[in-house]
Amino acid sequence: MLEDLYREVILRHYQDPANRRKLPNADAQSFTQNPLCGDEITVAACIEGGRLADAAFEARGCSISQASADMMADLIRGKTIDAAVQLAAEFKRMMSDTDGEPSDELGDLVALRSIRKYPVRIKCALLPWTTLVDALQKYRADPAERSTVGAS
Ligand code: ZN
């Protein structure tokens, strides 16, 4: 069943998150919490020449938020800031749109469509993305100043 396949993809990213690590020289960084579920996440990115040269996250929380963060980091690495923000919008659209086909660009993240029937879980899936967009906005507002965790 497709649902089983999706569950496997989510579990794989949750149990073995390649992108869950510190990014000591991050240029853009933000921290957010989801009080509904207790998720906490920091998303960080190194930016070179307008592109996300690297992206990583640190998190505590449920499998959905962490799997979403891990897949997101894979997807945005190497992308321009604009492209990353665009992907965040695509992902949000996929999670809130009940019809419509998801963009091919979202890769493994389509697995998270299977949780759309649980409204509380949608917030978990979106958390890394809203955190990313916040980090990039802060970076754009002041590229020289490295944002600090929990500053907002
Ligand atoms: Zn959660």
Side-chain angles (χ1 to χ4, degrees):
M1 253 180 78
L2 198 56
E3 290 251 328
D4 292 333
L5 181 75
Y6 283 163
R7 194 172 306 121
E8 251 174 60
V9 170
I10 292 168
L11 268 181
R12 178 155 45 82
H13 282 281
Y14 171 57
Q15 289 170 340
D16 188 19
N19 302 305
R20 187 173 163 177
R21 55 191 158 85
K22 277 198 192 306
L23 215 52
N25 300 314
D27 299 298
Q29 187 161 293
S30 188
F31 169 81
T32 328
Q33 288 170 293
N34 171 15
L36 281 179
C37 176
D39 303 318
E40 297 182 353
I41 187 161
T42 299
V43 172
C46 292
I47 297 172
E48 285 169 24
R51 281 179 189 272
L52 282 73
D54 199 3
F57 73 99
E58 290 177 87
R60 283 202 335 220
C62 70
S63 57
I64 299 299
S65 62
Q66 301 208 31
S68 180
D70 196 50
M71 291 189 266
M72 177 185 81
D74 279 340
L75 197 65
I76 61 177
R77 191 172 295 115
K79 298 273 197 301
T80 63
I81 293 177
D82 279 338
V85 171
Q86 178 66 33
L87 281 167
E90 280 291 332
F91 181 67
K92 193 172 181 189
R93 192 182 61 77
M94 178 185 83
M95 295 306 288
S96 52
D97 217 9
T98 37
D99 312 313
E101 283 299 300
S103 161
D104 289 343
E105 288 184 65
L106 290 172
D108 277 0
L109 283 152
V110 296
L112 289 168
R113 286 181 101 199
S114 59
I115 57 121
R116 284 185 309 180
K117 47 183 176 271
Y118 313 108
V120 174
R121 289 294 182 201
I122 293 176
K123 267 203 166 310
C124 300
L126 290 177
L127 187 70
W129 292 90
T130 51
T131 310
L132 169 74
V133 170
D134 183 59
L136 294 176
Q137 278 170 351
K138 280 198 271 186
Y139 171 80
R140 275 192 158 153
D142 193 356
E145 174 109 5
R146 293 194 170 169
S147 16
T148 47
V149 181
S152 49

